[in-house]
Amino acid sequence: MPFTRREFTKQSALTGAGIALTGTVAALATAPGALAAGDPKHGHDGHDGHGHDHGHGHGREPGYGPLIADPEGILALPAGFSYQVITHSGVTKLESGEFTPSNHDGTATFEGPRGVTLLVNNHELSGVRAGWEHPVPLAEGLVYDPVAAGGCTVVETRRDGRTAEWVGIAGTSTNCAGGATPWGTWLTCEETEDRAGKNGLLKDHGYVFEVDPYDKRANRDPRPIKAFGRYAHEAVVIDPKLGHAYLTEDASGPNGLLYRWVPPHGFRHGRGKLRTLADDAGVLQATKCFDSNGKFVDDLSRATKIGTVYGVDWVDVPDRDAKAVSVRKQFADGEVTRARKLEGMWWGDGGAYIVSSFARSESPAQHDGQVWFYDPKRRTLTLKVLLGVNADPSKDGAFDGPDNITVSPYGGLVIAEDGDGIQHLFGATGSGRTYPIARNELNIGSEEEPEYSEFTGVTFSPDGRTLYANIQTPGIMLAITGPWKRQPNRH
């Protein structure tokens, strides 16, 4: 049922133009240089994330203090923090003896028995296997397209520091982000529209696949979830109450779309249920937004003020498998709302946090990052984070290009940077302050022209004690520990 202009205008008035906060994350505003870092020796709120009471008061600056250069040249962290390399492409090996695949991307954690943490890790490898030194190995029974280089691995970490890694799915392409399901599996997303015969591939790509970290047998004979559509998928989250799937598309010419998949009547989610769906099961829809005056919004970059709220209608996709025309090109101007670089998503606070990484000349207005919150009850999108254009990404201190995100158990968001120049993991508090958590110091360029890979796969362990993140190139999974503490929500 369409969401009428009258309903939205009335609701906006009731919620104070939509600036009412939801859960852990308030309206977050940040711009180049808006970096907050406190003294790590002072200002704990009484807890360090491990249950130890330090007896300190409130009123502190957010964050954990300045980042300290790493003598190993990998990861700069605040005082008191440390990291461990979990997997490293071309260095660590799978249980089968092959090297860990490269190009780590989206990741999620799952609680295993007796203190074990399981992680499913995407490997964003496009095209055919011959183009990569360390593609995902073709594990028997787990291959979709035998010439494709991408896929997922499952990583097991134990309390004693031991690790193991094995293939979850192989023969997929450009596995970028994805999302964990409420029933304990991982949805891996192909960020490509390549059909069979293009770029040497044997099968159609651009789908979502389900990977079970607990049951290797459940991953045999991989089948795409065609009901979710075929396009340049980025991330996906599942509404645990309604069962709707929300999916982002990272594409341009024209800009990509935010999608919703509504399950068919009577469908019940659960382990292995998605692979039983018919190709045309349920309804795939794209967003159509309008402001509080009922005016259609053509692109999310139009929002230049924190707290901007748009009402959302959902428009059915004509041909979700894009047999002749890409899904995003099936809509005429005025039919749907677009956005550039729709990237990471995370379900929290009863809704979906959604990233638009940046906008340039392909968009109506320029920015270096937005984070939106979709409230399924109110059917609204609220702008929570807005990063101004970073004038000099080569200088440390400003953030740009948010990508993967997670809601932190210590309040606010933790964001992986995929911008130009220096790359960070950074936090954003509920009151609009940003602070650094880590800086990538692994120079994959030259001394004269340094280059630093993006961060990906930011996610906390089930117990909240460890922050996992990846350096995408060459492909390193890191486990970060330290004196985590609740972040302040006030200025």
Side-chain angles (χ1 to χ4, degrees):
M1 181 175 67
F3 193 39
T4 68
R5 170 181 170 177
R6 177 177 294 178
E7 288 173 328
F8 178 55
T9 304
K10 180 181 179 181
Q11 179 177 291
S12 295
L14 291 174
T15 59
I19 307 179
L21 309 183
T22 57
T24 57
V25 182
L28 307 172
T30 178
L35 189 78
D39 186 339
K41 297 179 181 179
H42 300 286
H44 287 276
D45 64 358
H47 299 279
D48 64 0
H50 295 269
H52 303 298
D53 193 333
H54 295 275
H56 295 287
H58 295 274
R60 57 184 170 80
E61 290 291 305
Y64 302 94
L67 303 180
I68 299 172
D70 178 14
E72 301 296 324
I74 296 177
L75 197 68
L77 293 168
F81 284 79
S82 62
Y83 69 88
Q84 178 186 358
V85 174
I86 304 298
T87 67
H88 188 158
S89 180
V91 178
T92 56
K93 291 187 175 182
L94 308 182
E95 287 185 333
S96 54
E98 295 102 338
F99 282 115
T100 295
S102 62
N103 291 60
H104 296 25
D105 210 285
T107 306
T109 61
F110 304 87
E111 187 174 4
R114 296 178 294 278
V116 165
T117 296
L118 297 169
L119 302 98
V120 184
N121 185 25
N122 279 357
H123 297 277
E124 191 181 17
L125 299 162
S126 62
V128 297
R129 304 174 58 75
W132 300 95
E133 184 178 1
H134 300 298
V136 177
L138 298 178
E140 183 181 358
L142 302 176
V143 180
Y144 171 66
D145 182 343
V147 301
C152 295
T153 54
V154 181
V155 180
E156 177 186 279
T157 67
R158 301 184 181 184
R159 287 176 177 170
D160 61 8
R162 290 185 296 166
T163 63
E165 185 178 15
W166 58 88
V167 172
I169 189 173
T172 51
S173 177
T174 325
N175 297 70
C176 197
T181 68
W183 53 93
T185 62
W186 170 250
L187 299 175
T188 180
C189 295
E190 292 187 306
E191 188 192 351
T192 180
E193 297 179 64
D194 286 351
R195 277 210 174 275
K198 186 175 182 180
N199 293 327
L201 299 173
L202 301 180
K203 291 188 175 183
D204 291 347
H205 291 267
Y207 294 115
V208 178
F209 296 79
E210 187 170 21
V211 176
D212 192 325
Y214 299 100
D215 186 358
K216 296 179 183 179
R217 294 171 298 177
N219 298 325
R220 296 186 68 84
D221 184 26
R223 299 178 188 177
I225 307 168
K226 292 190 176 182
F228 285 1
R230 194 185 70 81
Y231 46 89
H233 285 275
E234 181 69 34
V236 56
V237 296
I238 304 291
D239 182 334
K241 291 184 178 180
L242 299 178
H244 296 165
Y246 297 93
L247 308 104
T248 49
E249 178 183 32
D250 183 4
S252 60
N255 284 343
L257 302 172
L258 171 65
Y259 298 95
R260 178 180 74 171
W261 177 78
V262 180
H265 180 73
F267 178 77
R268 295 292 180 268
H269 282 294
R271 308 186 87 82
K273 294 293 184 64
L274 290 173
R275 65 187 289 146
T276 69
L277 288 167
D279 294 353
D280 60 352
V283 181
L284 185 68
Q285 303 170 312
T287 50
K288 181 177 184 178
C289 298
F290 50 93
D291 63 22
S292 56
N293 294 317
K295 183 180 179 181
F296 168 69
V297 179
D298 61 340
D299 195 286
L300 293 182
S301 70
R302 296 280 187 192
T304 58
K305 184 178 180 182
I306 294 299
T308 297
V309 181
Y310 294 144
V312 177
D313 271 343
W314 294 98
V315 184
D316 291 357
V317 170
D319 172 22
R320 74 182 81 185
D321 204 53
K323 294 178 178 62
V325 178
S326 296
V327 173
R328 71 185 184 281
K329 297 179 181 179
Q330 295 173 22
F331 298 96
D333 291 345
E335 291 186 319
V336 291
T337 299
R338 303 183 182 278
R340 183 69 177 109
K341 296 293 291 179
L342 286 167
E343 300 263 10
M345 304 178 76
W346 198 269
W347 185 268
D349 305 328
Y353 290 95
I354 303 158
V355 170
S356 173
S357 190
F358 65 78
R360 294 292 184 267
S361 60
E362 71 284 340
S363 303
Q366 294 191 3
H367 63 75
D368 252 331
Q370 295 176 327
V371 181
W372 293 84
F373 179 78
Y374 178 71
D375 185 332
K377 291 182 179 179
R378 294 184 171 91
R379 290 169 67 179
T380 55
L381 273 171
T382 302
L383 184 59
K384 298 289 188 176
V385 178
L386 178 62
L387 300 178
V389 175
N390 189 352
D392 189 355
S394 66
K395 291 184 178 180
D396 197 9
F399 305 127
D400 60 89
D403 193 329
N404 292 168
I405 60 170
T406 189
V407 174
S408 171
Y410 304 97
L413 295 169
V414 176
I415 301 171
E417 197 173 12
D418 176 17
D420 295 324
I422 297 173
Q423 306 294 318
H424 301 88
L425 296 175
F426 67 96
T429 72
S431 60
R433 306 296 297 278
T434 60
Y435 59 91
I437 296 174
R439 181 179 63 243
N440 179 9
E441 297 197 326
L442 183 62
N443 183 6
I444 56 175
S446 64
E447 186 174 349
E448 295 76 19
E449 296 183 7
E451 181 182 351
Y452 301 93
S453 171
E454 67 181 276
F455 279 109
T456 63
V458 59
T459 183
F460 277 91
S461 60
D463 65 7
R465 292 172 180 252
T466 304
L467 178 65
Y468 293 95
N470 306 315
I471 295 175
Q472 186 176 70
T473 305
I476 302 175
M477 178 184 286
L478 302 159
I480 302 169
T481 54
W484 303 110
K485 60 192 176 185
R486 189 77 186 173
Q487 293 300 315
N489 281 322
R490 57 191 178 191
H491 293 286

